[in-house]
Amino acid sequence: MPDITYRQAQNRDMAFVIELWEAMNKELAAIQQRYAVSKGGELVWGQWAGKVVDRKEGQIFIAETNNEVVGCIMAWLPKDNPIYAARPRGRISDIYVKPEHRGKGVATEMVKLALGFLEEKGAVAVEVNAPKGIDALARLWEK
């Protein structure tokens, strides 16, 4: 089995990241219809994610093997919500690993990268966007 490497996504990776985001939402929509993506939604998300990364307030990390992107995760610092004392608060979302690469620790490694990035940015708390009903994801966050 080939090694999996992890790195920050570059602009040239965004088409692959958007492809993974679409696959993630397709899987989620099969469980919860609220995750169905509207027409053109992937382009809107891609533009937003690109801006967050370009402004250095966020980062997308990818996992790849044999020049194929097999997983991604997004970590960012949203604008502070003044109702919380613990600031800045980081956020992790949009974690996805292709089915054939699941159960091999790929998601765990990407979470470590995301948490490290948020720590470097000074986050004192981290929020996770995770849908209900996905056992593997629940186990990941329980770790």
Side-chain angles (χ1 to χ4, degrees):
M1 167 134 140
D3 289 334
I4 295 179
T5 57
Y6 303 89
R7 63 178 175 83
Q8 292 181 351
Q10 306 295 315
N11 285 334
R12 69 178 187 273
D13 301 311
M14 284 307 292
F16 301 113
V17 170
I18 291 170
E19 184 179 299
L20 292 177
W21 183 85
E22 288 179 292
M24 174 191 70
N25 280 287
K26 188 174 184 178
E27 283 186 37
L28 291 174
I31 298 167
Q32 298 177 26
Q33 185 57 35
R34 69 187 185 103
Y35 288 100
V37 177
S38 63
K39 184 176 181 179
E42 73 283 353
L43 297 175
V44 173
W45 181 85
Q47 290 171 347
W48 170 80
K51 288 178 185 175
V52 169
V53 172
D54 286 346
R55 291 192 304 257
K56 307 293 186 224
E57 65 194 49
Q59 191 53 253
I60 297 171
F61 295 95
I62 61 172
E64 63 185 346
T65 184
N66 291 333
N67 294 319
E68 175 190 11
V69 178
V70 299
C72 65
I73 189 170
M74 185 167 185
W76 79 101
L77 293 168
K79 294 190 190 297
D80 276 340
N81 186 335
I83 65 172
Y84 296 114
R87 292 186 281 174
R89 299 171 78 83
R91 185 167 293 157
I92 295 176
S93 68
D94 303 309
I95 183 169
Y96 184 76
V97 177
K98 287 185 175 182
E100 62 271 23
H101 295 280
R102 293 178 186 166
K104 301 173 184 173
V106 176
T108 300
E109 289 303 313
M110 291 191 305
V111 167
K112 289 177 185 176
L113 289 171
L115 289 172
F117 169 79
L118 293 171
E119 184 178 318
E120 286 176 17
K121 291 291 185 180
V124 297
V126 176
E127 298 171 355
V128 177
N129 293 345
K132 292 184 349 181
I134 302 175
D135 295 339
L137 197 53
R139 285 191 303 275
L140 172 67
W141 297 120
E142 287 172 359
K143 291 180 186 179

